Structure formats: C-alpha cells, structure tokens
C-alpha cells in the first residue's frame, strides 16, 4: 500500500537498532545474554532481523507462527518459543524453534518424542513459579522430578536451563529478593542433576530494571526482553529508570482527522452504556472543539495508552473505529484531513501491530 494510507504505524528501524544494541550491551556488561522478544511487533520479520543483528542470543515469541515466519525470512539466530507449548503443537515446536520454555512433563515427553522423530535435540528451559502465578512449577519436588526426567530419560531434549516469569498476571515486582528465590530453586535443580544450568533466565523487561540499577542477582545470566527494546517506557514511567541514549518512540501511530466540530463536552440525554458496555464518566467542560480520527479500539484496544504528540491535544475516548480528541487547546488549528500522531504504550502497540487494517511504514 502507498505511503499516504492511514491509519499507519511508523516504525523507525534506526531507533529500534539503537535500543536493541544499548540494552544488549548493558546486559552483556552484567554477564547477561538477551532473548529479543518480538511478540509486541507481531513477530515482524524485518524487526526481528534488526534485533538479531543487534546481538540478541535468541529471537523469541509467544506464538509459533511468528517464529516460523521469522525463520522463513532467513533469520538464523536461534528461535525461542516463550509461551509454554500446546501439546498439539509439539511436533511443530521442535521443527520451528531451537528453544522452548516448559512447565509440564506431559508436554516435555511429547517434545522428546517429536524431537526424536525429527532427528533433532530440542533445548528446554524449565520454568519455575516464584509467585506471579502464571506459568512455572511451584513445588520443589515437582521441578526436581521434571529436571531429573528431562536430564536422564528424555534423550532428545537438552535441559538448557531454568527460567521464571513475573509482572504478568500477579503484577509481582522482580525484586532482588524475589529473584534470589528463583536462584535458590535453580541451585536445587543443579544439585539434583549434578551440573550447572547453562541458561538462568531471570524474567522480562521489568527485571531489566535490576540490570539498570546493578542489583540483578549474579547467577542470572539470561533475560527475555520485548518492552525494554521496542517501547522502552515502563521502567522510566513506573520506576524512573532509564538507559541513556535509548528511544521511547520506535513506533508511532498516525491517523487522519475525519470530523472537527465544537460540541458540548458532556453527552446530552439519558446515559447508560458505551459501545463496549462500559460506563465511563464525562467531565462537563462546556463547549469544546473536538476532532474525530479514523482509528479505534478494534485497532489498539486501549485509548488511555495513546499519548498525543501535539501539545494541548487530549484523548477523550473511543469506540470501535473512531477516536475522539479534544483539540480546543491544540498547538495548531486542527482540520479535517490533518494527520494526528501518537506515542504508544505496550497494550496499544501490540494490538496495532496485530491489526491487518494498520499500514506499516518503515523508516
Ligand atoms: C512476553 C514475555 C516476555 C517479554 O516480556 P516484555 O515485558 O515484553 O519484556 C518474556 N517472557 C515471557 C514468558 C513472556 O511471555
């Protein structure tokens, strides 16, 4: 599609390269290798290649189909499936990915059988639960038993290491103390199998905060980073931690204005539910100049996660295909046909990348 098609995501591959290189260099100084997680970019192979060339040890995604596309595009960096595999995809996993994160012995046995049939050795990371309550083995006797079986009986698997995940379901912070619990569990696994783990994968972008601060437990030698490379906003906005020289605007959204009118700011009539059955509240600020842009929640899900680049513009809300802006105090007089630009947080960017109706333009 042509360059003047909207709405579109403008993707600055130069900024992505800088972010990836800086983040990977900082981790390297701390003895930590990086799996570049590309699911926020819907596994875009062009962007996976940028992250691979920046020195990622693996390219990772939660979705196998994304990894398949990345390999088909010629990326040779080892691929890592980071959503624990479905039993039904075991054969596809060992063909498409060199690594997977795992927490279930039945799935591991299926991966072992599939790897044997495919004539490959598949690398597995054993996920250990430390309290976020998503994937991972919680009980010591269970992760020890799984590690022993993988190590001694599942000959087509290699126990490449251990991993943990936080800040996803349970909103748990990867404090040094929490990560120390993961190291303790890892050392129990090491004692049980009689050797050190190669990969000790200490979670994702929220744990990158520990690298920035220099408080990552020493034995963590691997991290899986998506947000910190592609978006780079959470550690700064939520914890005041930044990496000098990195960018917060690798991707920006551009959308076109389709209506501008002065209207009352409070809806007129009996108020019940919006298009998504929520009950928002509306502030009465009198008559205001407002603009509609042609992009909506179907594209980005969360209008709160769009930050207008033009001073004085605020996002009022949205329905499926329309986004409402207050442009009364905008820096310029907004007109139909104007293009409005936005920076994005994770929750919006992941949807925009996945939407077929959003054109991608690379810079
Ligand atoms: C999504 C995900 C990551 C990467 O998360 P970011 O916050 O984008 O860095 C790492 N590990 C697992 C298991 C994931 O699902």
């Amino acid at each position: 599609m042509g360059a003047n098609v909207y709405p579109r995501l403008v993707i600055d591959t130069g900024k992505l390269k800088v972010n990836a290189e800086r983040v990977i260099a900082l981790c390297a100084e701390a003895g930590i290798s990086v799996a570049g997680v590309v699911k926020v970019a819907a596994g875009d192979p062009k962007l996976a290649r940028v992250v691979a060339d920046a020195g990622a040890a693996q390219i990772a995604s939660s979705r196998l189909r994304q990894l398949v596309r990345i390999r088909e595009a010629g990326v040779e960096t080892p691929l890592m499936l980071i959503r624990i595999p479905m039993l039904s995809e075991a054969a596809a996993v060992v063909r498409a990915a060199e690594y997977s994160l795992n927490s279930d012995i039945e799935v591991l046995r299926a991966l072992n059988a599939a790897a044997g049939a495919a004539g490959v050795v598949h690398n597995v990371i054993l996920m250990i639960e430390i309290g976020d309550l998503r994937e991972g083995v919680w009980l010591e006797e269970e992760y020890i038993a799984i590690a022993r079986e993988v190590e001694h009986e599942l000959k087509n698997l290699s126990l490449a290491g251990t991993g943990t995940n936080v800040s996803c379901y349970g909103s748990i912070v990867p404090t040094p103390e929490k990560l120390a619990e993961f190291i303790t569990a890892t050392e129990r696994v090491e004692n049980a199998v009689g050797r050190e783990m190669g990969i000790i994968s200490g979670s994702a972008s929220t744990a990158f905060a520990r690298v920035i601060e220099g408080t990552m437990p020493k034995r963590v030698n691997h991290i899986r980073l998506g947000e910190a490379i592609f978006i780079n906003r959470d550690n700064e906005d939520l914890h005041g931690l930044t990496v000098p020289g990195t960018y917060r605007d690798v991707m920006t959204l551009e959308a076109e204005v389709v209506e501008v009118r002065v209207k009352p700011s409070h809806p007129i009539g009996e108020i019940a539910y919006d298009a998504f059955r929520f009950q928002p509240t509306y502030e009465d600020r009198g008559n205001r100049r407002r603009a509609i842009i042609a992009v909506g929640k179907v594209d980005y899900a969360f209008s709160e996660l769009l930050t207008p680049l033009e001073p004085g513009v605020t996002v009022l809300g949205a329905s499926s295909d329309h986004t409402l802006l207050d442009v009364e105090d905008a820096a310029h007089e907004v007109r139909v046909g104007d293009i409005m630009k936005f920076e994005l947080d994770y929750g919006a960017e992941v949807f925009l990348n996945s939407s077929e109706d959003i054109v991608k333009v690379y810079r």
Side-chain angles (χ1 to χ4, degrees):
M1 272 196 263
N4 294 325
V5 176
Y6 298 95
R8 65 187 195 180
L9 259 184
V10 177
I11 303 171
D12 191 320
T13 54
K15 288 180 178 173
L16 177 63
K17 177 174 190 283
V18 167
N19 279 11
E21 287 176 350
R22 298 253 154 100
V23 163
I24 289 168
L26 202 63
C27 288
E29 281 172 34
I32 294 171
S33 66
V34 174
V37 179
V38 296
K39 69 192 186 198
V40 66
D44 185 328
K46 282 196 188 69
L47 305 185
R49 183 180 296 282
V50 172
V51 175
D53 289 348
Q58 299 90 18
I59 292 297
S61 178
S62 48
R63 290 163 192 256
L64 198 60
R65 282 158 53 118
Q66 294 181 2
L67 296 180
V68 169
R69 281 200 296 272
I70 290 165
R71 181 56 49 77
E72 281 172 356
V75 173
E76 287 173 2
T77 302
L79 301 177
M80 177 180 269
L81 180 66
I82 57 174
R83 178 167 65 192
I84 48 176
M86 295 179 250
L87 200 50
S88 62
E89 68 182 349
V93 171
V94 301
R95 271 186 269 120
E98 282 76 17
Y99 291 84
S100 60
L101 309 187
N102 286 274
S103 65
D104 186 275
I105 191 62
E106 238 193 287
V107 171
L108 284 161
R109 287 171 189 151
L111 289 172
N112 181 60
V120 297
V121 172
H122 182 71
N123 300 295
V124 301
I125 310 283
L126 176 57
M127 293 301 279
I128 295 173
E129 173 70 70
I130 58 172
D132 201 60
L133 307 182
R134 204 180 70 180
E135 75 278 42
V137 187
W138 175 236
L139 296 176
E140 176 181 350
E141 60 263 31
E142 192 186 352
Y143 59 71
I144 297 291
I146 293 175
R148 284 205 171 110
E149 183 168 335
V150 172
E151 180 80 356
H152 300 302
E153 288 165 48
L154 304 182
K155 294 296 176 197
N156 307 306
L157 301 183
S158 169
L159 180 59
T162 55
T164 197
N165 196 67
V166 293
S167 316
C168 282
Y169 170 72
S171 318
I172 292 299
V173 179
T175 58
E177 297 72 32
K178 258 293 150 197
L179 292 168
E181 291 173 21
F182 164 56
I183 297 301
T184 300
T186 295
E187 288 175 347
R188 289 186 192 127
V189 169
E190 291 179 330
N191 287 337
V193 300
R195 65 175 177 88
E196 289 198 345
M197 291 293 104
I199 291 177
I200 302 178
S201 187
S203 202
S205 290
T206 57
F208 180 59
R210 301 291 81 75
V211 178
I212 302 175
E213 290 177 340
T215 57
M216 184 65 105
K218 274 195 189 56
R219 291 219 57 207
V220 171
N221 65 9
H222 184 270
I223 193 165
R224 310 176 304 272
L225 300 180
E227 197 278 340
I229 293 173
F230 281 90
I231 314 219
N232 191 31
R233 300 170 73 88
D234 285 355
N235 280 319
E236 177 171 3
D237 295 351
L238 308 179
H239 306 291
L241 292 165
T242 54
V243 179
T246 53
Y247 296 96
R248 290 164 59 92
D249 57 350
V250 168
M251 296 191 200
T252 47
L253 170 65
E254 297 187 356
E256 184 169 338
V257 175
V258 291
E259 181 187 297
V260 182
R261 276 216 171 77
V262 176
K263 292 188 189 181
S265 43
H266 196 271
I268 302 117
E270 186 184 337
I271 290 185
Y273 302 95
D274 74 3
F276 286 91
R277 238 207 239 183
F278 294 122
Q279 296 188 287
T281 54
Y282 305 91
E283 191 191 348
D284 189 351
R285 304 180 68 200
N287 287 346
R288 304 280 297 176
R289 192 174 170 82
R290 45 206 278 145
I292 301 177
I293 50 172
V295 67
K297 285 191 178 173
V298 167
D299 302 298
Y300 54 67
F302 308 102
S303 59
E304 307 78 13
L305 301 183
L306 310 185
T307 304
L309 281 180
E310 181 165 336
V313 175
T314 55
V315 178
L316 294 169
S319 57
S320 302
D321 307 298
H322 302 76
T323 305
L324 291 308
L325 307 176
D326 183 309
V327 295
E328 178 80 24
D329 304 322
H332 87 295
E333 188 177 321
V334 176
R335 294 167 176 278
V336 165
D338 283 359
I339 304 305
M340 306 301 285
K341 300 181 181 181
F342 303 85
E343 288 187 3
L344 305 160
D345 281 306
Y346 192 98
E349 195 159 306
V350 70
F351 280 89
L352 287 163
N353 273 292
S354 304
S355 172
E356 280 192 13
D357 296 320
I358 301 292
V359 177
K360 289 180 172 180
V361 179
Y362 303 89
R363 291 261 156 83

